[in-house]
Amino acid sequence: AQRVTQPEKLLSVFKGAPVELKCNYSYSGSPELFWYVQYSRQRLQLLLRHISRESIKGFTADLNKGETSFHLKKPFAQEEDSAMYYCALSAYSGAGSYQLTFGKGTKLSVIP
Amino acid sequence: SQTIHQWPATLVQPVGSPLSLECTVEGTSNPNLYWYRQAAGRGLQLLFYSVGIGQISSEVPQNLSASRPQDRQFILSSKKLLLSDSGFYLCAWRGVLPGGTEAFFGQGTRLTVV
């Protein structure tokens, strides 16, 4: 079975400081990994996916299969980055079914 | 465009009463559908997922059940609610887009069992 681990429940950084939200996964197959974000009073939404290798709102995440990690990084935190961040893994379960497993989330607080 | 509707937004129910939360998706067919419970410190816990009509996979043994009577309808139910069923419930569907796959979430239902 797959598992997603986010070791930090809460991360506080000062504005302008670098941010790294950690995510480790456990999955025997080839994973599809994501970061989702939930801003205050908004729906949970996709931030970025590993296959896109894109930078969204200054955030990047690199899949490291050797370390089974998918850490989210941003060089300079902004106040508007304060939100709840979830790492997620999509795994094929057979017969067209995909299981979406989320970590417990990390609350990022950017201090002005 | 694809949209997901979930209702009600809030619900207060007495212990022992039944529950029915509904989720519908528009603009897509044969979606993978999911029910999650979101709790502080516990993140998003996958409760049920479904690949098609009448096909339900349960991830966590509990007092809840799910059904998929129609392709784009997913229902979370309970015959008798417990206090521990209180929480925030989210419905989601898995979309396949040109850039990759993405989960789309409903607005959520805040359930309080009293």
Side-chain angles (χ1 to χ4, degrees), chain A residues 2-4 25-27 31-34 87-91 99-103:
Chain A
Q2 58 270 21
R3 176 179 287 184
V4 177
Y25 67 91
S26 173
Y27 180 55
E32 189 176 7
L33 287 157
F34 309 82
C87 183
L89 183 152
S90 177
Q99 191 171 3
L100 282 169
T101 303
F102 286 79

Side-chain angles (χ1 to χ4, degrees), chain B:
Chain B
S1 64
Q2 305 94 342
T3 56
I4 179 169
H5 302 283
Q6 184 182 342
W7 68 91
T10 59
L11 190 60
V12 180
Q13 291 283 99
V15 169
S17 64
L19 172 74
S20 180
L21 302 181
E22 189 161 344
C23 173
T24 59
V25 181
E26 297 177 359
T28 185
S29 60
N30 198 30
N32 272 225
L33 296 172
Y34 308 84
W35 277 110
Y36 290 90
R37 179 160 50 200
Q38 186 179 29
R42 299 184 64 183
L44 278 167
Q45 183 185 33
L46 179 61
L47 302 175
F48 303 95
Y49 66 100
S50 170
V51 66
I53 296 173
Q55 299 178 63
I56 309 294
S57 296
S58 175
E59 288 301 298
V60 182
Q62 58 208 319
N63 186 43
L64 301 169
S65 62
S67 62
R68 188 165 174 179
Q70 300 180 42
D71 181 45
R72 287 170 284 181
Q73 184 184 31
F74 203 25
I75 298 172
L76 184 68
S77 305
S78 174
K79 292 182 179 178
K80 287 185 178 181
L81 283 169
L82 306 172
L83 286 174
S84 58
D85 292 325
S86 293
F88 191 66
Y89 292 86
L90 283 168
C91 179
W93 71 280
R94 179 181 178 273
V96 180
L97 306 175
T101 64
E102 181 173 345
F104 295 91
F105 287 84
Q107 66 175 1
T109 297
R110 174 72 62 190
L111 171 66
T112 304
V113 183
V114 296

